[in-house]
Amino acid sequence: MNQDQLKTLVAQAALQYIEPGQIVGVGTGSTVNKFIDALATVKQRIRGAVSSSEASSERLRAHGIAVLDANAVESLALYVDGADEIDPHGCMIKGGGAALTREKIVAALAERFICIADESKYVPVLGRFALPVEVIPMAAQQIARRFAAHGGVATLRLQGGQPLRTDNGQHILDVTGLCIDEPLAFESEVNNWPGVVCVGVFAHQKASVCLLGTAEGVRTLRF
C-alpha cells in the first residue's frame, strides 16, 4: 500500500474508539482529513466535534457535522490527530500544518489522544522532522538564537514569499538539527521562553494510543 492508502486505513481504524453520543476532538492534516471523511459515515452516532483548525472545521461542516467551540466543552473522551513524528513512548512532534497551538488546546481537553499515522512517522528519537514552534513575530530572532544554543537552526516558515500566519495570527519557526531525547523536559523549557506561543513537542499531551499504518495492516501501540 502507498502512503495515502495507509492514511485511509488508520483513519478508518480510529472509528472503533468512538462511542455513541460523544463529542469528538478532531485534529488537522492530510491523515485527519481521511478521518473526517470516515467520521461522516457515522455522524449520526456523535453529538459533534471540537476542531483544531479552520480547515478542519470547514471540512467537518461540509459533511454536516456540528462544530462546537472548545469553550463550550468541559472535556472530551478522545482526540484524534496525526503526527509528524512519534517515538516509542507516545511523545510526538506536531505542527507541520501550522495548527499546533489549537491542536494542543484540544488535546488537553481529551481523556485519550488517538494518534493516526503511517509507519514512516515512527522514530526512535524525536528531531529528524523540523520542529515547528509558533512564536510572536517580535520575538522570532531571539528565539532562533536560543535554539542555536541547543544546536538547532530555526527558519521562518513562508507562504507565498511572506511569513506564514497561523489561525492565531502568529508566525512559525521550523527548527532542524535537534535531537529531542528528553521530550517532556524540552517542551517545558521551550514553553517558558518569552515569545513562544507553543512548541510542537507533544509530551505533556502525548498519545494514549497510536494506530500505525504498515504494509501488514494497522499496528496498535499503547502508551
Side-chain angles (χ1 to χ4, degrees), residues 189-205:
E189 178 188 348
V190 177
N191 274 337
N192 283 328
W193 293 353
V196 170
V197 177
C198 184
V199 58
V201 173
F202 281 58
H204 289 280
Q205 276 78 42

Side-chain angles (χ1 to χ4, degrees), residues 8 48 75 88 113 120 171 174 214:
T8 300
S75 65
F113 188 135
S120 70
H171 290 174
D174 290 308
T214 75

Side-chain angles (χ1 to χ4, degrees), residues 5-25:
Q5 290 169 322
L6 292 176
K7 290 178 180 181
T8 300
L9 196 67
V10 294
Q12 292 173 340
L15 295 180
Q16 68 185 290
Y17 292 91
I18 297 171
E19 297 181 5
Q22 286 182 334
I23 299 171
V24 181

Side-chain angles (χ1 to χ4, degrees), residues 63-186:
H63 281 300
I65 299 172
V67 177
L68 307 178
D69 190 293
N71 287 311
V73 177
E74 290 188 10
S75 65
L76 299 167
L78 73 161
Y79 175 61
V80 180
D81 202 355
D84 298 308
E85 285 187 342
I86 183 165
D87 74 8
H89 306 288
C91 299
M92 297 165 285
I93 284 181
K94 294 176 48 54
L100 59 158
T101 300
R102 295 191 185 192
E103 288 172 345
K104 197 169 282 190
I105 290 168
V106 183
L109 281 171
E111 295 174 17
R112 290 201 295 174
F113 188 135
I114 311 298
C115 176
I116 51 177
D118 66 82
E119 60 186 343
S120 70
K121 308 297 174 61
Y122 189 59
V123 297
V125 179
L126 301 178
R128 183 178 61 189
F129 188 90
L131 173 68
V133 185
E134 185 165 356
V135 301
I136 293 172
M138 69 176 291
Q141 290 307 309
Q142 178 186 160
I143 293 165
R145 289 192 292 271
R146 284 180 176 263
F147 276 116
H150 282 268
V153 177
T155 304
L156 184 65
R157 190 182 301 185
L158 303 178
Q159 185 177 62
Q162 299 296 319
L164 178 144
R165 288 278 180 180
T166 69
D167 286 347
N168 307 312
Q170 309 300 342
H171 290 174
I172 296 280
L173 292 176
D174 290 308
V175 188
T176 57
L178 298 173
C179 179
I180 308 171
D181 52 3
E182 295 185 12
L184 196 66
F186 185 86

